[in-house]
Amino acid sequence: SVRSDVEILPYIHSIDKNVTHGSLHMPTYGGGTARSEYEVLTGNSITFLPSGCVPYELYVRTPEYGMADILKSQGYYTIAMHPNNGHNWNRDQVYPQMGFDEFLNQDNWGGEYQDKLRGFVSDQSVFDKIISLYKEKETNQKLFTFCVTMQNHGGYTIPFANFDQEVWLTGDMEGKYPEADMYLSLVKKSDEAFEWLVNYFSQCDQPTMIVMFGDHQPGIEDEFFDEAMGVESAKVPNEQKMVWYETPFVIWTNYDQPAEDMGRLGAIYLSSYVLKRANLSLTPYNEFLLQLSEKLPIIHHLGIWESDGTYHGWEDAESGEYEWKEQLMEYENLVYNHSLDPKTVNEMFSISQ
């Protein structure tokens, strides 16, 4: 077990009203944020794309059907945000193709909301920037912001003068993993900033949904993960490796919704669930994904998990005997159609007007 001298996420763990908690299963570990973004925004699993590829650099086209396009077609003004270099992962080219009206990055962020931790814009400043966008919009304008933060980005070994570390591992781990200490201290700051964001919108009249998820586990000491998990990742079968790919997510609203723990969910399904919970129109592809998630809540390069927790490796899943093979093949065909096929059937992936 892992122990620290203070609670890391006291606020996020305490929210129990109008909130859905869960564990998201990301396609990447220790880095590769763009892969996670792609799965969440499009619903396409990179498992079915060429091995090791980053879709943002190879396969995004105009238009790239997905969450931004779906919301834009329903009257939302769509803003992507990343308080760093807009060229990272080709985002300045990709986001407009995905249907974002605006991309705020270090080139056009503005002079305000630039307080930094370790040289990166803090989550508190980013959330303040989101609040400012809300304040500036027209009263009846519907707004969707998709924000990739920088505060907790990798590079945890460098000491920074303007960051007071607050979290220290204790017990057998004390002093052994300074990168983990730094990362957990930063995450605690994120929790505090998230509390500020939720408290602000809890007082707003306009219906608001806030979705927060981790893009991947941090690139900190491998030995920390091995000790925390009680086993070396290289020595366990794929079924047990999934814990290295899990991140938490929350869906909070400032209006009544039943509190729920969704358990484990693949990143490919998140946007469809968000759209459904916001009572918005869904594409046929969203509907297909929601139905698929009922049977196969996790589809990952490590394998497939069924709703009752049963695991299947890909060799097993692709065999003629597997009961969900037909649905898997249909999904693989749709991913190809959505991402690579120049003759895409648009009606499957967009809202009919």
Side-chain angles (χ1 to χ4, degrees):
S1 64
V2 179
R3 297 201 307 275
S4 63
D5 56 348
V6 296
E7 170 69 27
I8 309 297
L9 298 171
Y11 179 69
I12 287 176
H13 288 157
S14 73
I15 313 174
D16 58 4
K17 185 179 180 183
N18 300 329
V19 67
T20 297
H21 291 272
S23 175
L24 210 58
H25 292 71
M26 311 311 295
T28 188
Y29 163 76
T33 299
R35 292 185 175 95
S36 302
E37 286 183 45
Y38 179 80
E39 286 205 348
V40 168
L41 288 171
T42 67
N44 298 339
S45 173
I46 65 170
T47 300
F48 299 123
L49 298 177
S51 178
C53 81
V54 179
Y56 276 16
E57 297 178 337
L58 293 172
Y59 298 118
V60 173
R61 58 188 179 184
T62 303
E64 177 64 42
Y65 302 105
M67 192 173 188
D69 175 73
I70 291 166
L71 287 166
K72 188 173 179 178
S73 71
Q74 296 181 66
Y76 280 78
Y77 188 75
T78 56
I79 302 177
M81 302 174 67
H82 178 57
N84 205 265
N85 191 332
H87 300 303
N88 291 345
W89 293 120
N90 205 28
R91 289 186 179 101
D92 56 344
Q93 301 297 314
V94 167
Y95 285 155
Q97 294 169 301
M98 289 184 129
F100 285 103
D101 295 305
E102 225 179 307
F103 176 30
L104 299 177
N105 56 78
Q106 66 182 18
D107 293 334
N108 60 351
W109 192 263
E112 294 183 287
Y113 315 112
Q114 295 243 21
D115 289 350
K116 296 193 170 57
L117 288 177
R118 302 181 310 135
F120 297 130
V121 175
S122 70
D123 285 357
Q124 182 66 59
S125 280
V126 170
F127 296 164
D128 284 341
K129 177 74 171 177
I130 291 173
I131 290 170
S132 77
L133 295 172
Y134 171 78
K135 289 179 177 177
E136 291 165 7
K137 75 177 185 65
E138 297 292 331
T139 303
N140 295 324
Q141 177 64 63
K142 296 183 285 188
L143 177 65
F144 169 57
T145 60
F146 177 76
C147 181
V148 180
T149 62
M150 275 300 295
Q151 174 187 289
N152 302 343
H153 196 276
Y156 307 110
T157 57
I158 309 166
F160 290 89
N162 70 335
F163 180 64
D164 295 323
Q165 194 165 317
E166 294 183 25
V167 179
W168 308 91
L169 294 168
T170 59
D172 294 341
M173 291 185 171
E174 185 174 354
K176 290 170 63 177
Y177 304 115
E179 293 181 42
D181 287 337
M182 172 70 79
Y183 172 74
L184 294 172
S185 296
L186 291 164
V187 169
K188 187 173 187 301
K189 289 287 188 186
S190 297
D191 185 73
E192 294 166 4
F194 189 69
E195 181 175 12
W196 163 261
L197 183 69
V198 168
N199 284 342
Y200 176 83
F201 281 103
S202 67
Q203 300 169 49
C204 295
D205 293 332
Q206 194 159 3
T208 301
M209 175 183 285
I210 299 175
V211 182
M212 189 173 185
F213 64 91
D215 54 341
H216 53 72
Q217 294 271 13
I220 56 180
E221 297 97 342
D222 290 340
E223 297 80 7
F224 167 78
F225 283 108
D226 293 345
E227 185 172 343
M229 307 300 182
V231 64
E232 292 182 41
S233 63
K235 296 181 179 179
V236 299
N238 282 350
E239 182 177 0
Q240 296 173 32
K241 283 183 181 176
M242 182 53 84
V243 290
W244 275 264
Y245 292 84
E246 289 186 27
T247 69
F249 76 91
V250 293
I251 303 172
W252 174 87
T253 57
N254 66 351
Y255 51 86
D256 288 343
Q257 65 157 320
E260 182 183 355
D261 183 349
M262 284 189 66
R264 307 167 76 198
L265 186 71
I268 57 174
Y269 300 121
L270 182 62
S271 59
S272 296
Y273 271 96
V274 167
L275 291 167
K276 180 183 178 183
R277 283 165 184 266
N279 294 316
L280 293 166
S281 296
L282 303 178
T283 67
Y285 189 45
N286 293 136
E287 299 280 11
F288 171 84
L289 286 168
L290 288 174
Q291 291 176 12
L292 188 63
S293 74
E294 294 291 324
K295 308 296 184 185
L296 305 176
I298 303 170
I299 297 174
H300 196 271
H301 68 265
L302 292 176
I304 292 162
W305 280 259
E306 296 179 358
S307 54
D308 64 357
T310 303
Y311 169 80
H312 293 273
W314 278 104
E315 186 176 344
D316 179 19
E318 291 175 339
S319 72
E321 288 75 40
Y322 184 54
E323 65 174 312
W324 301 111
K325 183 184 177 184
E326 184 178 336
Q327 287 87 346
L328 273 175
M329 288 181 63
E330 185 177 1
Y331 177 47
E332 183 174 0
N333 290 337
L334 285 167
V335 170
Y336 174 81
N337 190 228
H338 191 279
S339 60
L340 301 176
D341 188 354
K343 299 177 182 177
T344 294
V345 181
N346 301 352
E347 291 79 8
M348 188 70 187
F349 306 109
S350 56
I351 300 295
S352 57
Q353 300 297 324

